[in-house]
Amino acid sequence: MREYNFLRSGLLNILFQICFLVIFYIFGRDTALDMGGSLRSVVLLGIILIPSFIWALFFYFMDRREPEPSSHILMAFVAGMTGAILGSIPLQHSLFHVQKWLYASEFLFVVGSFFVISPCVVGFLYVIFRFGFYPLREFDEPVDGMVYGAIIGGGFALIQSLDSLSKKPEFTLFVIAYTATTNILIYSGVGSIVGYIFGMAKFRHKNLNFYSLGAVISGILILGIYNIINEFIFISGFGNAFWISFVLTLVYVSTILLFSYYRMRVLTKKDYHESISVRSKFDPLTVAFLIICLLIGGVFAAQGEMGKKFKNDDLGISFYYPFKLTPFSAEFKPMTPLLLSKKAKILVSGKNITPAYSFLLKVHERSDPEHPLQLIEYVAVNEPESLIFEEIMIDGEEGNRIYYSFLEKRKTQMKKFPVLIQGVTDIIAMAKHVFIFQFQTSSASFSEGFSRYNQILRSVRWKRK
Amino acid sequence: MEKKVTAWIFLLMLVPGISAIADDIPSDLSPFVRLGHLVKLSLYKNPVFDKEHEKIIDKGELSKEEIFQMPLGSGTIISPDGMILTNYHVFQMSERVQFDESRNVLLVAQPVSQTMIVYALQDNDALKPPVPSFIAVPISLDEEHDIALLKITGDQNGGKLPEIVFSHVNIGNPFEMRLNEIIHILGFPAKGGDTITITEGRFLGYYRDQAYFGLDGFIKTNAAMAPGNSGGAAVNKSRYVGIPTAITHPALAGSDLGFIYPVTWALKALVVAVNKHGYSSPLIPLSWLLSEYNTDETRKNAYITGVLISANSNTPVSATVVMARKDRTLEQVNSLHNEVQTIIILNVIQQLYESGITKEEIAQRFQLSQEEVEKILKIKLLDKNIHQDTVQYLNGDFFYTMAFSDEAGFFILSVPRGRDVKLYVLQEGLNPFERDLKIEKGISQNMGTIKLYYR
């Protein structure tokens, strides 16, 4: 009877999720939710809640022999939301700054998925479950673990969807529905796995320390692998990547749930339910594992945030610059006309889009170290609006900084108005070479761009003989 | 029998428009149109010039302004939906300035808009002047080949047109004409008045000059041509084979020669119209392009088109599209790009200086210091200073190109046939897109809609 309920409600859940997405595909594939203000937020929330509601119904039917109290279900959902708002999302964005480096390379994406994204999500799932719902008296049969875990995951999914969709008014209704559906499927799936393992621990009276570690490792692996496969679908250039991703999510999550369910059935063959009292206690292995994961993630995050390494032993310089410093700029300004001169060479150059600035490092051969430098020679503007000199220090080497600004006539829509460009040129004269670091941006992007530029300068290391 | 012959002669005389035309030009002359702009004419009193009268310092006092229609050249309707092929220089009317010294007045004429006025023959009567009948807007412009493709979009007042199937001329192969075959030039040269002028001449071969490439590939003819014929039609056996574009300078010794662009030079404009904008227009068969007489890049290269849309919003996105040899990484292509751009700027600066532009002007234009200009002018490009890929690129042996995709998509030129190449689409915030390509045959390849996904 229980198996029949599971399969029937599971099938219905999948059907409803598919119907939900198909309806939004038919009616919302070209329609963006671009109305302004709070109305958009309300509608967005309404759409995102639909798949959560379908998912909750599935677990309600699955668990209806002895349903969990509604207040506990609601609490689990709110706890999941809170874990995402106060824990997982701020940790990913404010501490690890994943937005700056996660997509910089395949390697960083893989390590970021396994050591930052997944531990942040699963870690908070674990904390909420272990210390909030695991000790509950109402958690009195193995299936309850899956139910609570899935509902906590549902709360996570809701916030994750809102976070990724709220700043994208141009996204179509279909993409909103896709995001909401796949997020609820995967996060609830991961939550239910964590809950299933805790259920096993509770009713098999096993060593919880190992089982909670198992729950966290399983969650991290499942979420990490999913993220990587899903990313692969989107970078492979498939025309119907949203549908392929949705089918992948359905198959992936269904497989995991079916596996867990049939494993759990062995446990519940006796059809018992019992009240086991447990205390909330610390699982040192799990906590240590999570800390190690996040530390490893932190190392890669720091590396990712520093950017790409440039190293030239002959010139004796190394530094990091942003991965996103991409070339192929539309307009080319000959900031460095001496590229082909034997005495000057560009080491790194490119433009950053957000914030917009250009960076360049060139090196000149120094024929006469005793000859004083003509600093103004290095400002590629002949009529600056302002010019300020000051002394600087880059990795212990003294140098000179020139702040300058100039008006640039641009071929833009607002072409009648010149743009004020602000620039900084830093000159470090070594025994044999003169290094010129150049930074330029529009006045609007100066402060943000300048802090990124300083980040590059802070990473400069000279190889001193 | 005698009665029958009389009846035929009588019937032919009833149709003056046809009976007057030679056999190897189309019987329907309505596709041959005159093109003009709506022009604003301004009259200035007491203009001020510099000492040599080369430069207007102040236009003076504006005394009169009026707007009128000004015919500028010829064009040819090439498709049932009203695509017109003409010269870019006919479409792109530059400001015309004329100083009347006796009255000390300056006349300045400039087009009011990009829309062109189409003067068409009425009732296919070649003996009457064409009248303003439609307006046409530019669809694709190819300044390099001096080609403009326009589309008729409304009646002479800009009003909506009923469903019209336009009479049009079929395109013919310009590379299969035999030497000395007859060519007819149809157009509206100013010296021929307002009515259509049809002249006849011979196909005299294709221009080749090892010392001067400027006219390479042009069709030579002795058919009479004059200003106003530009953008019109050169017809061989009722087929539109070329666009009359240039004539020898009157100061040159000997009789005049006319020069005609082979119609295949319009390929880029046609591909853009079809692949990028979705219009129907005649396409040029590959076999014509492969002719050994075709000196244009189209003989070896193809075009790639496509549209980039965000799959998340179903709207077009702007992005950089890079296409390069498959055996180079994106970073290698980037270095090449930077070096090539620098060399181009370097060359431009050196050539400007050689053409008499002062160092001060160059410094100002390129936002450089005088010292840097001095240094640039001393730089000599040596192969050993340049990466081998760059040398190959500058020699035309290394394929790499870059384009920008806008709302109408992207258009990539000169993709060599039979080579393994790779297309990259780069835009921050979107997943990068790359695809291997090899164009074995064909004029162009439409990659269709490429969906890009937000990260």
Side-chain angles (χ1 to χ4, degrees):
Chain A
M1 186 62 187
R2 187 182 283 270
E3 185 181 337
Y4 173 72
N5 272 344
F6 175 80
L7 292 176
R8 191 190 59 178
S9 56
L11 198 62
L12 274 174
N13 177 26
I14 289 172
L15 272 177
F16 277 119
Q17 300 283 2
I18 293 171
C19 287
F20 169 72
L21 206 55
V22 168
I23 288 168
F24 274 83
Y25 180 74
I26 294 168
F27 297 107
R29 125 187 84 159
D30 294 320
T31 312
L33 195 60
D34 53 4
M35 70 268 274
S38 51
L39 181 61
R40 179 177 189 272
S41 307
V42 172
V43 178
L44 184 65
L45 186 65
I47 297 171
I48 294 173
L49 273 172
I50 297 171
S52 306
F53 183 70
I54 299 168
W55 189 254
L57 275 182
F58 162 64
F59 278 101
Y60 169 76
F61 283 119
M62 189 176 133
D63 187 40
R64 71 177 174 176
R65 278 189 66 172
E66 194 182 334
E68 298 309 297
S70 308
S71 59
H72 287 175
I73 296 290
L74 192 65
M75 277 302 293
F77 195 77
V78 172
M81 287 170 61
T82 313
I85 294 170
L86 301 179
S88 167
I89 292 175
L91 209 58
Q92 290 174 42
H93 292 285
S94 303
L95 185 67
F96 290 101
H97 298 134
V98 289
Q99 66 279 10
K100 288 185 187 171
W101 54 269
L102 188 67
Y103 296 99
S105 70
E106 287 86 358
F107 174 74
L108 281 175
F109 187 83
V110 171
V111 293
S113 293
F114 281 117
F115 293 105
V116 177
I117 305 282
S118 303
C120 284
V121 172
V122 177
F124 279 95
L125 269 175
Y126 158 76
V127 170
I128 294 166
F129 198 96
R130 176 68 181 87
F131 301 103
F133 294 89
Y134 183 76
L136 283 180
R137 278 190 171 276
E138 287 78 3
F139 184 0
D140 53 4
E141 54 177 339
V143 75
D144 291 348
M146 287 183 77
V147 174
Y148 284 124
I151 301 295
I152 296 167
F156 255 91
L158 178 81
I159 298 301
Q160 200 73 42
S161 301
L162 277 176
D163 181 52
S164 54
L165 295 169
S166 57
K167 290 168 196 158
K168 301 284 184 188
E170 71 274 22
F171 281 15
T172 60
L173 289 173
F174 168 67
V175 173
I176 292 171
Y178 156 82
T179 310
T181 314
T182 47
N183 275 347
I184 191 81
L185 283 170
I186 189 64
Y187 284 105
S188 292
V190 170
S192 61
I193 282 293
V194 172
Y196 151 74
I197 297 173
F198 272 109
M200 281 208 303
K202 189 167 184 174
F203 297 100
R204 278 185 176 171
H205 307 289
K206 296 285 182 186
N207 184 337
L208 185 60
N209 205 6
F210 286 112
Y211 269 71
S212 62
L213 178 65
V216 166
I217 291 176
S218 308
I220 288 174
L221 283 177
I222 288 168
L223 191 57
I225 291 169
Y226 170 80
N227 281 340
I228 290 163
I229 299 175
N230 208 36
E231 180 64 11
F232 172 76
I233 290 170
F234 283 103
I235 61 170
S236 296
F238 295 121
N240 295 312
F242 287 123
W243 283 109
I244 297 170
S245 161
F246 174 68
V247 172
L248 160 84
T249 314
L250 266 185
V251 172
Y252 192 76
V253 174
S254 305
T255 309
I256 292 163
L257 286 182
L258 276 172
F259 172 77
S260 313
Y261 184 78
Y262 283 107
R263 294 274 300 168
M264 192 174 62
R265 236 185 49 180
V266 179
L267 187 67
T268 53
K269 254 183 185 167
K270 295 173 191 169
D271 199 23
Y272 68 89
H273 53 89
E274 54 182 273
S275 183
I276 298 170
S277 177
V278 288
R279 283 182 296 133
S280 303
K281 69 170 195 180
F282 185 65
D283 302 320
L285 267 179
T286 312
V287 174
F289 176 77
L290 277 170
I291 289 172
I292 290 168
C293 274
L294 291 175
L295 281 176
I296 295 172
V299 171
F300 286 113
Q303 193 190 328
E305 216 181 328
M306 282 178 85
K308 207 169 182 175
K309 188 169 186 179
F310 172 86
K311 193 176 179 193
N312 188 318
D313 287 334
D314 294 337
L315 296 169
I317 184 174
S318 70
F319 63 95
Y320 290 88
Y321 62 97
F323 285 107
K324 290 178 179 174
L325 204 63
T326 47
F328 304 115
S329 54
E331 48 186 295
F332 180 81
K333 282 177 45 189
M335 285 167 63
T336 54
L338 302 177
L339 170 68
L340 303 168
S341 155
K342 279 181 183 176
K343 292 186 176 179
K345 190 179 176 186
I346 296 176
L347 300 181
V348 173
S349 73
K351 285 197 172 190
N352 199 63
I353 310 290
T354 321
Y357 67 88
S358 63
F359 169 77
L360 178 145
L361 170 61
K362 60 180 173 177
V363 61
H364 292 249
E365 272 181 29
R366 195 174 183 187
S367 49
D368 181 9
E370 301 305 317
H371 190 264
L373 289 171
Q374 295 295 320
L375 297 183
I376 193 74
E377 197 179 307
Y378 297 101
V379 182
V381 183
N382 59 348
E383 282 182 20
E385 299 292 317
S386 64
L387 201 64
I388 301 166
F389 292 84
E390 70 176 33
E391 289 179 351
I392 50 147
M393 185 92 83
I394 298 177
D395 187 33
E397 292 294 333
E398 285 181 0
N400 293 284
R401 169 166 288 181
I402 307 165
Y403 288 95
Y404 58 95
S405 62
F406 62 93
L407 290 170
E408 184 185 67
K409 286 174 190 169
R410 281 188 177 174
K411 286 181 181 175
T412 62
Q413 302 239 324
M414 305 285 283
K415 59 186 171 185
K416 296 199 173 170
F417 301 100
V419 179
L420 183 70
I421 302 293
Q422 295 180 324
V424 171
T425 297
D426 290 319
I427 303 159
I428 302 287
M430 308 293 267
K432 290 184 180 171
H433 298 101
V434 179
F435 292 88
I436 314 290
F437 296 82
Q438 219 163 343
F439 161 79
Q440 279 188 4
T441 183
S442 64
S443 54
S445 308
F446 185 82
S447 52
E448 207 183 341
F450 191 51
S451 78
R452 304 284 175 90
Y453 172 66
N454 278 323
Q455 202 175 320
I456 299 173
L457 294 188
R458 279 196 297 274
S459 71
V460 172
R461 294 291 172 268
W462 306 108
K463 188 179 166 189
R464 295 179 178 92
K465 287 174 185 171
Chain B
M1 182 65 186
E2 218 172 272
K3 273 184 185 176
K4 272 186 184 175
V5 172
T6 314
W8 276 113
I9 290 169
F10 180 70
L11 275 173
L12 284 172
M13 286 174 69
L14 277 179
V15 196
I18 294 172
S19 58
I21 295 168
D23 293 341
D24 60 355
I25 56 175
S27 55
D28 182 3
L29 294 180
S30 53
F32 304 100
V33 294
R34 193 175 205 191
L35 297 170
H37 268 303
L38 203 58
V39 168
K40 183 172 81 174
L41 183 73
S42 309
L43 185 73
Y44 295 91
K45 283 182 186 171
N46 307 318
V48 183
F49 295 87
D50 66 4
K51 284 177 191 168
E52 284 82 30
H53 270 220
E54 282 178 351
K55 197 170 154 189
I56 305 163
I57 293 170
D58 185 350
K59 283 180 180 170
E61 178 195 338
L62 179 65
S63 68
K64 194 179 174 186
E65 264 190 340
E66 61 178 288
I67 289 177
F68 67 100
Q69 295 175 340
M70 181 191 269
L72 293 159
S74 309
T76 309
I77 301 176
I78 55 164
S79 73
D81 56 358
M83 306 288 271
I84 298 173
L85 200 58
T86 185
N87 279 131
Y88 178 80
H89 74 262
V90 172
F91 162 76
Q92 192 63 43
M93 175 198 170
S94 54
E95 191 178 72
R96 294 181 183 191
V97 179
Q98 195 181 342
F99 179 55
D100 185 344
E101 212 163 342
S102 60
R103 291 160 60 203
N104 195 24
V105 292
L106 189 76
L107 286 159
V108 179
Q110 53 191 348
V112 173
S113 78
Q114 290 216 315
T115 304
M116 292 204 87
I117 302 158
V118 181
Y119 301 71
L121 292 179
Q122 298 300 292
D123 304 323
N124 193 29
D125 188 348
L127 304 180
K128 288 181 187 166
V131 294
S133 307
F134 310 107
I135 57 159
V137 296
I139 297 300
S140 49
L141 303 170
D142 182 358
E143 198 174 350
E144 189 191 351
H145 287 106
D146 194 13
I147 295 286
L149 191 64
L150 314 174
K151 169 90 171 66
I152 294 174
T153 54
D155 63 20
Q156 71 273 31
N157 301 314
K160 198 178 171 188
L161 281 173
E163 289 290 319
I164 295 181
V165 176
F166 289 93
S167 296
H168 61 283
V169 194
N170 290 321
I171 286 176
N173 186 352
F175 304 115
E176 69 173 12
M177 289 186 287
R178 278 175 299 159
L179 203 63
N180 228 25
E181 264 189 1
I182 288 177
I183 285 180
H184 285 95
I185 304 295
L186 294 92
F188 296 89
K191 64 165 72 166
D194 284 341
T195 52
I196 192 167
T197 302
I198 304 170
T199 59
E200 187 181 299
R202 300 279 169 176
F203 165 58
L204 305 176
Y206 308 98
Y207 189 92
R208 295 279 189 281
D209 189 340
Q210 290 190 342
Y212 177 62
F213 301 106
L215 294 175
D216 254 10
F218 277 59
I219 296 166
K220 293 185 288 185
T221 183
N222 57 356
M225 287 160 58
N229 269 120
S230 280
V235 170
N236 170 252
K237 295 176 184 167
S238 292
R239 298 266 172 172
Y240 175 35
V241 292
I243 306 151
T245 300
I247 47 175
T248 49
H249 197 276
L252 287 174
S255 304
D256 282 352
L257 276 182
F259 296 102
I260 300 164
Y261 283 158
V263 75
T264 50
W265 287 16
L267 181 67
K268 179 180 161 188
L270 295 173
V271 170
V272 169
V274 175
N275 290 359
K276 200 167 170 183
H277 299 290
Y279 289 116
S280 67
S281 77
L283 278 181
I284 292 162
L286 180 62
S287 56
W288 296 7
L289 301 174
L290 296 176
S291 162
E292 58 187 313
Y293 304 120
N294 179 17
T295 54
D296 194 42
E297 57 162 20
T298 47
R299 189 172 169 211
K300 288 179 181 170
N301 298 335
Y303 300 123
I304 301 278
T305 57
V307 178
L308 304 178
I309 68 155
S310 151
N312 298 60
S313 61
N314 268 355
T315 50
V317 288
S318 300
T320 305
V321 183
V322 176
M323 189 172 262
R325 272 167 62 160
K326 195 184 161 188
D327 57 354
R328 293 292 189 277
T329 64
L330 197 58
E331 281 192 0
Q332 286 170 321
V333 176
N334 173 34
S335 316
L336 167 77
H337 170 77
N338 279 339
E339 208 165 71
V340 166
Q341 292 286 349
T342 307
I343 290 168
I344 289 168
I345 295 287
L346 199 79
N347 268 329
V348 168
I349 290 174
Q350 291 183 344
Q351 281 177 13
L352 282 175
Y353 183 68
E354 281 166 20
S355 69
I357 309 281
T358 64
K359 289 174 188 172
E360 289 76 20
E361 280 177 306
I362 291 172
Q364 197 172 5
R365 195 180 297 182
F366 290 92
Q367 294 180 351
L368 297 168
S369 66
Q370 292 261 13
E371 291 78 10
E372 280 179 312
V373 175
E374 294 274 1
K375 286 176 187 170
I376 290 169
L377 295 175
K378 284 178 192 162
I379 293 173
K380 285 182 182 165
L381 290 178
L382 300 169
D383 282 2
K384 62 181 177 182
N385 287 338
I386 310 172
H387 193 272
Q388 203 181 347
D389 280 354
T390 310
V391 177
Q392 279 192 10
Y393 176 80
L394 294 171
N395 291 335
D397 300 329
F398 184 98
F399 171 66
Y400 138 75
T401 188
M402 188 177 79
F404 290 94
S405 191
D406 56 17
E407 287 206 347
F410 62 86
F411 185 88
I412 294 179
L413 299 160
S414 314
V415 182
R417 289 194 196 96
R419 283 239 194 123
D420 288 314
V421 294
K422 198 161 195 168
L423 175 98
Y424 303 90
V425 179
L426 309 165
Q427 178 63 292
E428 201 199 343
L430 298 170
N431 271 317
F433 175 92
E434 53 183 70
R435 184 175 289 175
D436 293 345
L437 275 178
K438 189 173 186 176
I439 303 171
E440 292 289 1
K441 51 187 179 181
I443 292 163
S444 71
Q445 184 165 326
N446 187 355
M447 297 190 69
T449 301
I450 295 172
K451 287 185 178 177
L452 301 171
Y453 295 90
Y454 275 91
R455 284 168 161 171

